[in-house]
Amino acid sequence: MAFYEHVFLARPDITAQQAAALQKTYQTVIEENGGKVAKVEYWGLKSLSYKIKKNRKAHYSLMNIDAPHTAVAEMERQMGLSPDVIRFMTIRIGEFEDKPSRF
């Protein structure tokens, strides 16, 4: 299996609890497809550098994932269909960092 860092942005008009529920939903998708989520961080509601789908703010979330590509592809497919997710990016990495991120 490979290691991935995945960041997604959720619409600003949802609550922090709904953003946490989105994290849990996508964590479940990964686990059902044979992977595991090593770390989940909620970075909060932050301003965007430029408008994305007419939004100036978004809820930021980070997930460190240890999963096969098929699990990540399924999660990304479901994120693409979700009206609450406005942007996401997944990057394959060599190893996870032990310490928390700067945010």
Side-chain angles (χ1 to χ4, degrees):
M1 291 199 278
F3 299 127
Y4 298 93
E5 271 190 355
H6 179 79
V7 176
F8 71 93
L9 309 178
R11 291 182 310 132
D13 54 343
I14 66 172
T15 64
Q17 291 80 15
Q18 289 171 318
L22 281 174
Q23 285 177 334
K24 188 67 175 165
T25 300
Y26 297 124
Q27 183 175 351
T28 304
V29 170
I30 291 294
E31 290 168 355
E32 287 176 350
N33 288 294
K36 69 175 191 165
V37 177
K39 177 172 70 170
V40 177
E41 290 184 12
Y42 173 67
W43 291 344
L45 184 65
K46 298 198 175 288
S47 296
L48 300 170
S49 297
Y50 54 89
K51 284 185 179 181
I52 300 174
K53 295 184 181 178
K54 299 181 182 178
N55 295 301
R56 291 197 177 273
K57 291 187 173 196
H59 293 275
Y60 282 70
S61 296
L62 167 78
M63 298 168 68
N64 282 350
I65 301 169
D66 180 12
H69 173 71
T70 54
V72 176
E74 175 60 20
M75 180 188 63
E76 288 181 340
R77 184 189 73 80
Q78 289 187 17
M79 282 189 173
L81 297 173
S82 173
D84 291 332
V85 177
I86 59 175
R87 188 69 48 101
F88 61 87
M89 181 170 55
T90 307
I91 299 173
R92 186 172 178 173
I93 57 175
E95 61 184 40
F96 293 137
E97 290 184 18
D98 294 335
K99 57 187 177 185
S101 65
R102 295 184 337 165
F103 294 98

